[in-house]
Amino acid sequence: MRLWSWLVILALAGCAQTPPKDDSLYHELGQRAGIQRIVEGMLLNIAHDKRIVEHFKKIDIVRLRDKLVEKVCVEAGGPCRYTGDSMAESHKGQHLTRSDFTALVEDLIDSMDAEHIPVPTQNRLIARLAPMRGDVIEK
């Protein structure tokens, strides 16, 4: 049911990339420490996910973790600054599919479940991340 919710959010999400001014989501996610736990949990889930783990074999996981924490922190309205490449640039040439993207979102949801993040909060985060989908898949 939650995957369906994210698909609806994804379909309805606008393309604006302006970080939100409201920091309530940042606080609901547990601030930077909570976001780091969510990202680390997602990366552990990916490590066991046969659907997409191959895409991560040659990646500096520590750097990826740090950049994902920054990105999620910014998108959640936190006081962070994202210092990584654009989503389009960092995924260029990877030829990721919709299925790959869906698998990653499922791994993120599983991580948020493990951190006891309420579903409405999960949906708010996914809605803020959803506009990046076009910069990630099939590039």
Side-chain angles (χ1 to χ4, degrees):
M1 181 75 170
R2 275 181 284 170
L3 183 56
W4 169 250
S5 296
W6 115 214
L7 290 172
V8 170
I9 289 168
L10 184 60
L12 298 175
C15 293
Q17 292 288 325
T18 305
K21 302 289 185 214
D22 175 11
D23 70 351
S24 63
L25 180 56
Y26 173 74
H27 290 282
E28 291 172 30
L29 294 171
Q31 301 178 28
R32 190 171 180 103
I35 291 169
Q36 183 163 332
R37 285 191 306 274
I38 291 166
V39 167
E40 288 174 349
M42 179 186 74
L43 292 172
L44 286 171
N45 292 340
I46 289 167
H48 296 96
D49 190 337
K50 294 176 184 177
R51 299 172 296 174
I52 58 172
V53 68
E54 288 301 317
H55 293 294
F56 294 84
K57 291 286 186 183
K58 296 179 181 179
I59 291 178
D60 178 346
I61 293 297
V62 173
R63 183 178 192 289
L64 175 61
R65 179 204 60 203
D66 294 345
K67 297 305 157 199
L68 286 173
V69 168
E70 288 175 5
K71 188 67 170 168
V72 172
C73 179
V74 168
E75 294 301 322
C80 307
R81 188 169 77 89
Y82 178 65
T83 61
D85 294 330
S86 71
M87 290 297 106
E89 184 62 33
S90 61
H91 294 89
K92 187 177 180 178
Q94 293 186 25
H95 308 289
L96 300 173
T97 66
R98 291 180 180 131
S99 296
D100 296 331
F101 189 83
T102 299
L104 184 130
V105 172
E106 290 172 355
D107 291 335
L108 171 61
I109 289 169
D110 288 346
S111 178
M112 289 191 287
D113 283 344
E115 290 296 320
H116 308 289
I117 303 298
V119 171
T121 302
Q122 292 182 28
N123 289 340
R124 286 179 61 209
L125 176 61
I126 291 167
R128 293 201 183 162
L129 299 176
M132 290 180 247
R133 179 179 178 266
D135 291 332
V136 172
I137 63 168
E138 300 170 358
K139 296 290 176 192

